[in-house]
Amino acid sequence: MAGLVENPFLGNKDKIEESEERKGKSRGEEIGEVREKEMVPGTGSSIKRSGSRPQLDLSGAAIQGNFEDRDPTILLPNQSDDISHLALDIGGSLIKLVYFSRHEDKRVDDKRKKTVKQKFSIANGSRRSYPILGGRLHFVKFETVKINECLDFIKSKQLHCDGMNPRRWTVDKPTNENVVVKATGGGAYKFADLFKERLGVSLDKEDEMDCLVAGANFLLKAIRHEAFTHMEGVKEFVQIDQNDLFPYLLVNIGSGVSIIKVDGDGKFQRVSGTNVGGGTYWGLGKLLTKCKSFDELLELSQRGDNGAIDMLVGDIYGGMDYSKIGLSASTIASSFGKAISESKELQDFRPEDISLSLLRMISYNIGQIAYLNALRFGLKRIFFGGFFIRGHAYTMDTISFAVHFWSKADAKAMFLRHEGFLGALGAFMSYEKHGLDDLMVHQLVERFPMGAPYVGGKIHGPPLGDLNEKISWMEKFVRKGIEITAPVPMSPRATTGLGGFEVPSSKGDALRSDASNLNVGVLHLVPTLEVFPLLADPKTYEPNTIDLSDHNELEYWLTVLSEHLPDLVDKAVASEGGTDVAKRRGDAFARAFSAHLARLMEEPAAYGKLGLAYLLELREECLREFQFTDAYRSIKQRENEASLAVLSDLLLELDSMSEESRLLTLIEGVLAANIFDWGSRACVDLYHKGTIIEIYRMSRKKMQRPWRVDDFDRFKERMLGSGEERPSPHKRALLFVDNSGADIVLGMLPLARELLRYGTEVVLVANSLPALNDVTAMELPDIVAEAAKHCDILRRAAEAGGLLVDAMINNNDSPKAGSSSVPLMVVENGCGSPCIDLRQVSSELAAAAKDADLIILEGMGRALHTNFNARFKCDALKLAMVKNQRLAEKLIQGNIYDCVCRYEPSSYLIT
């Protein structure tokens, strides 16, 4: 779940997107789109049309599902044209709707970026001559019998009007009376006249199988945690290798069941199917239980006992197993068998038991038929989708059991987080069939903002027009004394909800978890993200060091984040002037983040595969959602100024040392300065006991070797040699920096200066967006410029690297002609979190890495929480002070404030 962090994440309403998205950008939006924008010439407000029909740009897709949406919203940040932005899959039971909303960009004139592009020969990836605009895909469903609610929804949001700007829309006067909307499913034919009559739109029918396969291929290739297995209540996410996706079996369970063998993009055949599907379950269930909706029927099943109505093997064999042929006593011998043998009428059986028996009967049969077809074609990957599943845990368990049983554990049933929307998504993509093949999993980032959803044509929660309304909505629950314990306010009974089927914990407006224990977010497409090219093996790379599948470990870290929350809220509110408005936003942030933590405590897999890096990133996203873009801004400025004031004295001290002593002192300085971490409770407590310089000096005095992990001697030998022959210097070093203040000024900058002395190019790699007190790529040039006033080495290198404004102005953004200094440069990492997932880094960092032969990862987030076990194709040095007792014990069998100096030469990879 790593990737870019977002400025405030918004809800599902176009009104929200119109008013809020201009105020803050998502990690993907702000980083990716700004970079794309500067690659194309501006054309004012005009938009160039790219052909006879609007185009859908899928060249970079991302999930921005929503605190209120169980089914995702998918972001298209590279989308430009005024596309027809609505597609439907109208089935016999349900209508699935996918619609597009977009946001606007702002141009940023960043000389550092231009210099980096020139230096690393980053090509202009866009060949378009019009502004890049981004967007999101939203997902909604309705019961087909309530199609008028669907039509009302489309009209209320003006989704059928041509043109994408809501400010140009009027309720009664669509801008284009001849709008064509893509649709698939039998209802596209059945209800075509109704759509024309009510909305004035024509339905352009797309082939149902084409759409199903296109939607499935898109999701499986593009979303890292789209597919998962579900056995006995345990979910495991499956990463699909794009190069090894085909062939597979797609089982789509709607009203009936279609079984499709998929051999590639556009290459498939329907090989089987059955008329016993979701419609059968709903139809029989309605007749036998009088339930009014599919969801109500599923909810009944959770309280059922199928043994009261099914004939089991144990009923035939006196409670014994039939072990000779591998049948346990609890195996169903005959669905509804006891209805025959017992003298009971329909009213004598509990509706709950009937619902569960029906569910098991249909699920088992679908699972068995699917496996037999997989066996027929020699396939071991079977993906199940369709709205029969609905994320319902018991349904998935039943299907999985059937596949596992009949295959003798040789095959696995896999499910999709966007199940049910395959056809609608495929229909949406048919507006422009190009670009899907270019989409890579590392270009998608999933986010979980808070907002109020549309559900089944009704609004459950207010339509949030702006951030103030979102805050008011959250405060309403607090006033009512209702605890927010889940990311989605579930729909009441007798309506088609978002798939939540548990019994409500309280009545009315309660927020409760869904039975599927899975949520999907908004999918953000970030075409500028790349895999870090120096990873030794990207396929086996796992960023997270701590395994949060251990419940005790998860509980500990959730508690740490919760305990740190009051201090973080204080800092966030203070960063916005401490106004009453800022206090309301701070309270809303605290409630929202607490809801996330409670949700994850209840179900760790709710948002996908969970790691500590994701938890820390989620906190930053939530801050941005409530427009706290840099909670530690004033603290960082104060600490930078204090550190820069003593930098010259430190450099004089270093220059008086021998080369060997200086290298040791520099590493000690990095470790000592890394104590300044506002994300650590222990360090926050320290800050009340002295000034930044006093704490730094105290920390340096305690830097006594050997450290807990101490590879300094090996590192020194590589840098200085062990005899008369001195090793060749590294060509380029990437220094992943951590905190502002003493950490960067008194720790990493002096180390960078030493590498420059050796003749090594130095690239400082910093966050793209703020996170706690971490320094950002936007802040670093000013810090370097101030430091350069105290040091000619830094000044010449900064000029050569284009970091000094005067140098850039005088030399047209190019290094000085004839300059003998190696450059000091700054690149952004594509991240806005204390940690970093190297599967998703900025294009400029990826370009800078291509000639790098030394990586230095500094700080707990980048070197311990993540990447402690990462292996690289080049020399790597990991430096950090451990500022958490539990982490110290678990990772290095040490204590708080122990230090890590872990050096891994490129030869380390040779076994």
Side-chain angles (χ1 to χ4, degrees):
M1 312 266 309
L4 299 176
V5 191
E6 315 246 359
N7 274 341
F9 294 119
L10 311 172
N12 252 13
K13 304 297 177 292
D14 282 342
K15 288 183 179 179
I16 303 173
E17 291 149 3
E18 179 64 24
S19 62
E20 285 193 272
E21 288 173 14
R22 294 198 300 270
K23 298 177 184 177
K25 292 291 182 182
S26 76
R27 182 170 111 182
E29 296 166 80
E30 184 165 308
I31 300 167
E33 293 164 11
V34 166
R35 191 176 296 119
E36 285 285 334
K37 280 183 298 179
E38 67 180 27
M39 295 181 181
V40 296
T43 57
S45 60
S46 62
I47 296 180
K48 179 180 178 181
R49 307 292 175 181
S50 55
S52 59
R53 65 174 179 171
Q55 288 187 338
L56 173 62
D57 189 341
L58 294 171
S59 60
I63 288 177
Q64 192 184 4
N66 188 304
F67 225 45
E68 279 63 37
D69 265 338
R70 191 185 157 275
D71 295 303
T73 295
I74 296 184
L75 175 71
L76 305 176
N78 217 26
Q79 180 56 47
S80 302
D81 281 333
D82 285 355
I83 66 168
S84 297
H85 61 301
L86 170 66
L88 301 130
D89 179 4
I90 311 175
S93 305
L94 295 163
I95 300 171
K96 286 76 68 177
L97 182 150
V98 175
Y99 73 91
F100 175 84
S101 65
R102 80 177 184 190
H103 51 269
E104 299 178 4
D105 287 333
K106 296 179 182 178
R107 287 191 168 273
V108 175
D109 184 19
D110 188 339
K111 291 182 179 294
R112 181 198 63 79
K113 286 178 177 287
K114 294 179 180 179
T115 304
V116 166
K117 264 175 54 178
Q118 292 175 355
K119 173 66 180 176
F120 300 128
S121 302
I122 301 176
N124 288 344
S126 175
R127 296 185 295 274
R128 287 161 292 200
S129 59
Y130 47 83
I132 301 296
L133 299 174
R136 299 185 178 95
L137 292 180
H138 304 265
F139 297 75
V140 186
K141 67 182 174 66
F142 303 84
E143 294 179 18
T144 305
V145 295
K146 299 177 181 179
I147 190 170
N148 284 322
E149 291 185 355
C150 176
L151 296 170
D152 291 341
F153 172 80
I154 293 171
K155 188 173 182 180
S156 70
K157 294 182 74 68
Q158 295 290 289
L159 300 179
H160 59 304
C161 297
D162 193 16
M164 298 302 300
N165 191 338
R167 290 172 295 183
R168 297 201 299 266
W169 298 341
T170 58
V171 174
D172 299 322
K173 296 181 180 180
T175 58
N176 188 342
E177 296 180 357
N178 300 311
V179 174
V180 174
V181 171
K182 296 285 188 180
T184 189
Y189 297 89
K190 181 177 180 179
F191 298 109
D193 291 342
L194 183 61
F195 272 82
K196 189 68 175 178
E197 176 187 341
R198 289 285 310 276
L199 301 177
V201 302
S202 300
L203 297 184
D204 185 6
K205 291 85 172 176
E206 290 290 324
D207 180 79
E208 191 169 357
M209 293 301 149
D210 285 343
C211 292
L212 281 173
V213 173
N217 286 348
F218 171 83
L219 294 169
L220 289 170
K221 292 200 298 184
I223 302 176
R224 179 168 280 118
H225 296 148
E226 176 65 25
F228 61 94
T229 60
H230 199 290
M231 279 287 288
E232 297 181 350
V234 177
K235 290 179 292 293
E236 291 187 7
F237 291 94
V238 180
Q239 178 58 48
I240 305 299
D241 185 349
Q242 290 193 23
N243 300 318
D244 190 33
L245 172 60
F246 307 111
Y248 67 85
L249 202 66
L250 175 63
V251 182
N252 188 67
I253 314 172
S255 299
V257 180
S258 289
I259 299 178
I260 307 163
K261 180 176 177 282
V262 183
D263 294 301
D265 291 324
K267 299 177 182 178
F268 64 90
Q269 58 177 322
R270 185 180 188 276
V271 295
S272 186
T274 172
N275 57 358
V276 179
T280 311
Y281 176 60
W282 192 353
L284 287 175
K286 186 174 182 181
L287 288 173
L288 297 174
T289 70
K290 308 305 180 184
C291 282
K292 302 299 184 182
S293 75
F294 194 94
D295 287 355
E296 186 182 356
L297 187 62
L298 277 174
E299 189 171 344
L300 271 182
S301 73
Q302 292 193 182
R303 303 192 297 271
D305 175 11
N306 71 294
I309 194 168
D310 290 340
M311 183 179 293
L312 309 180
V313 168
D315 295 324
I316 300 172
Y317 286 89
M320 303 292 290
D321 297 339
Y322 190 178
S323 55
K324 184 176 181 179
I325 59 174
L327 298 179
S328 68
S330 60
T331 300
I332 298 174
S334 175
S335 294
F336 286 83
K338 288 181 181 174
I340 299 173
S341 61
E342 297 184 17
S343 56
K344 289 184 178 181
E345 299 298 327
L346 176 61
Q347 60 269 22
D348 296 323
F349 292 98
R350 296 172 65 235
E352 294 87 344
D353 301 336
I354 293 173
S355 177
L356 182 57
S357 180
L358 267 177
L359 180 64
R360 295 191 72 167
M361 178 181 73
I362 292 170
S363 299
Y364 278 147
N365 277 274
I366 292 172
Q368 182 179 11
I369 293 170
Y371 168 67
L372 292 175
N373 276 279
L375 183 65
R376 173 185 169 198
F377 294 103
L379 305 176
K380 293 188 178 180
R381 253 198 307 248
I382 312 172
F383 296 100
F384 291 84
F387 255 99
F388 171 71
I389 297 171
R390 310 286 275 271
H392 191 240
Y394 195 83
T395 305
M396 293 185 288
D397 269 352
T398 307
I399 291 173
S400 297
F401 177 83
V403 172
H404 183 271
F405 178 84
W406 291 108
S407 72
K408 293 181 170 58
D410 193 41
K412 287 185 177 180
M414 288 184 278
F415 305 92
L416 304 176
R417 299 178 72 191
H418 292 75
E419 33 85 358
F421 284 104
L422 303 185
L425 181 57
F428 186 84
M429 290 161 53
S430 70
Y431 282 112
E432 172 54 54
K433 297 181 183 293
H434 302 294
L436 180 62
D437 291 339
D438 297 330
L439 190 63
M440 302 294 286
V441 67
H442 58 263
Q443 295 172 322
L444 293 109
V445 184
E446 191 174 23
R447 297 287 172 256
F448 292 88
M450 182 162 299
Y454 282 95
V455 180
K458 297 181 182 299
I459 301 175
H460 299 286
L464 305 180
D466 55 27
L467 180 61
N468 187 60
E469 291 183 17
K470 181 184 292 189
I471 294 171
S472 297
W473 174 72
M474 297 186 66
E475 290 173 340
K476 176 184 73 172
F477 288 95
V478 175
R479 286 197 301 272
K480 289 186 176 183
I482 298 172
E483 183 181 3
I484 301 176
T485 59
V488 286
M490 303 309 295
S491 59
R493 294 171 184 253
T495 67
T496 301
L498 284 170
F501 312 118
E502 287 185 352
V503 181
S505 55
S506 58
K507 302 295 184 182
D509 294 318
L511 295 181
R512 62 186 177 88
S513 81
D514 60 314
S516 71
N517 292 327
L518 287 171
N519 297 93
V520 286
V522 176
L523 188 61
H524 292 265
L525 289 74
V526 191
T528 53
L529 289 180
E530 299 185 28
V531 177
F532 190 57
L534 293 178
L535 285 174
D537 186 359
K539 289 185 178 180
T540 60
Y541 167 77
E542 168 55 49
N544 291 287
T545 305
I546 301 299
D547 181 11
L548 295 187
S549 62
D550 181 333
H551 181 76
N552 291 331
E553 201 68 35
L554 174 64
E555 185 176 9
Y556 171 78
W557 287 105
L558 291 177
T559 301
V560 167
L561 291 174
S562 181
E563 290 176 347
H564 182 242
L565 192 54
D567 185 72
L568 180 57
V569 171
D570 289 344
K571 297 293 187 299
V573 171
S575 73
E576 297 293 320
T579 64
D580 290 340
V581 172
K583 290 176 182 177
R584 284 189 70 215
R585 283 163 44 205
D587 288 342
F589 155 71
R591 295 184 189 115
F593 188 56
S594 295
H596 281 298
L597 297 181
R599 180 72 178 99
L600 291 170
M601 176 63 76
E602 174 194 2
E603 177 48 58
Y607 302 159
K609 187 176 180 181
L610 183 61
L612 185 55
Y614 174 74
L615 278 180
L616 298 176
E617 184 180 37
L618 182 65
R619 176 181 60 191
E620 303 305 321
E621 295 167 10
C622 200
L623 277 169
R624 293 187 178 95
E625 180 181 355
F626 292 93
Q627 296 186 4
F628 294 110
T629 57
D630 193 354
Y632 289 80
R633 182 189 304 111
S634 60
I635 293 173
K636 291 192 293 183
Q637 291 173 347
R638 183 170 66 248
E639 292 186 352
N640 286 339
E641 291 170 1
S643 301
L644 285 165
V646 298
L647 176 61
S648 58
D649 291 339
L650 174 61
L651 296 182
L652 285 173
E653 177 187 347
L654 290 168
D655 289 342
S656 67
M657 300 177 181
S658 66
E659 193 173 42
E660 185 173 323
S661 297
R662 185 165 63 241
L663 183 60
L664 174 59
T665 303
L666 286 165
I667 299 301
E668 288 176 340
V670 170
L671 295 172
N674 192 235
I675 198 172
F676 296 96
D677 185 348
W678 282 92
S680 165
R681 168 57 57 187
C683 293
V684 171
D685 293 340
L686 270 181
Y687 299 158
H688 301 300
K689 300 177 181 178
T691 66
I692 182 173
I693 300 306
E694 289 170 345
I695 297 169
Y696 169 70
R697 287 171 178 161
M698 174 203 70
S699 182
R700 273 193 65 181
K701 287 178 181 177
K702 293 184 177 181
M703 287 293 109
Q704 296 181 359
R705 298 182 64 199
W707 302 310
R708 191 63 186 175
V709 177
D710 193 339
D711 292 334
F712 172 76
D713 291 335
R714 296 172 62 205
F715 177 66
K716 180 185 71 173
E717 183 176 348
R718 168 59 186 89
M719 303 303 290
L720 305 179
S722 56
E724 295 182 0
E725 187 174 346
R726 188 183 181 97
S728 299
H730 291 94
K731 180 179 180 181
R732 178 182 295 164
L734 303 180
L735 275 60
F736 288 75
V737 298
D738 190 6
N739 305 304
S740 296
D743 200 355
I744 178 65
V745 176
L746 305 180
M748 292 298 279
L749 271 183
L751 179 58
R753 175 178 179 259
E754 189 72 5
L755 294 173
L756 291 167
R757 280 187 175 189
Y758 298 160
T760 300
E761 293 183 2
V762 175
V763 180
L764 300 177
V765 183
N767 269 13
S768 300
L769 296 176
L772 292 173
N773 64 319
D774 290 0
V775 68
T776 69
M778 288 290 287
E779 296 162 347
L780 265 179
D782 289 339
I783 295 173
V784 171
E786 286 299 314
K789 295 176 181 178
H790 306 287
C791 175
D792 286 342
I793 296 173
L794 289 176
R795 180 181 58 77
R796 288 193 300 270
E799 287 179 358
L803 292 180
L804 299 186
V805 175
D806 291 341
M808 289 193 289
I809 293 174
N810 295 333
N811 294 281
N812 297 318
D813 296 338
S814 301
K816 281 189 176 181
S819 172
S820 59
S821 178
V822 291
L824 172 64
M825 296 163 283
V826 171
V827 301
E828 61 179 347
N829 60 15
C831 180
S833 163
C835 301
I836 185 167
D837 182 343
L838 294 173
R839 295 171 299 193
Q840 295 178 304
V841 302
S842 70
S843 56
E844 61 182 57
L845 172 54
K850 289 177 182 176
D851 291 324
D853 49 3
L854 173 63
I855 295 171
I856 299 180
L857 290 161
E858 182 237 358
M860 284 213 308
R862 294 159 188 82
L864 299 184
H865 290 320
T866 54
N867 302 305
F868 186 68
N869 297 318
R871 297 292 178 259
F872 300 95
K873 297 177 182 177
C874 64
D875 294 351
L877 180 66
K878 300 168 185 178
L879 300 171
M881 176 184 285
V882 189
K883 289 152 288 191
N884 177 279
Q885 180 62 34
R886 187 184 184 95
L887 184 67
E889 292 172 0
K890 196 168 189 69
L891 200 60
I892 59 173
Q893 293 76 52
N895 294 301
I896 192 169
Y897 304 129
D898 277 349
C899 291
V900 172
C901 175
R902 188 176 189 177
Y903 175 62
E904 297 161 350
S906 55
S907 59
Y908 182 85
L909 297 172
I910 301 174
T911 58

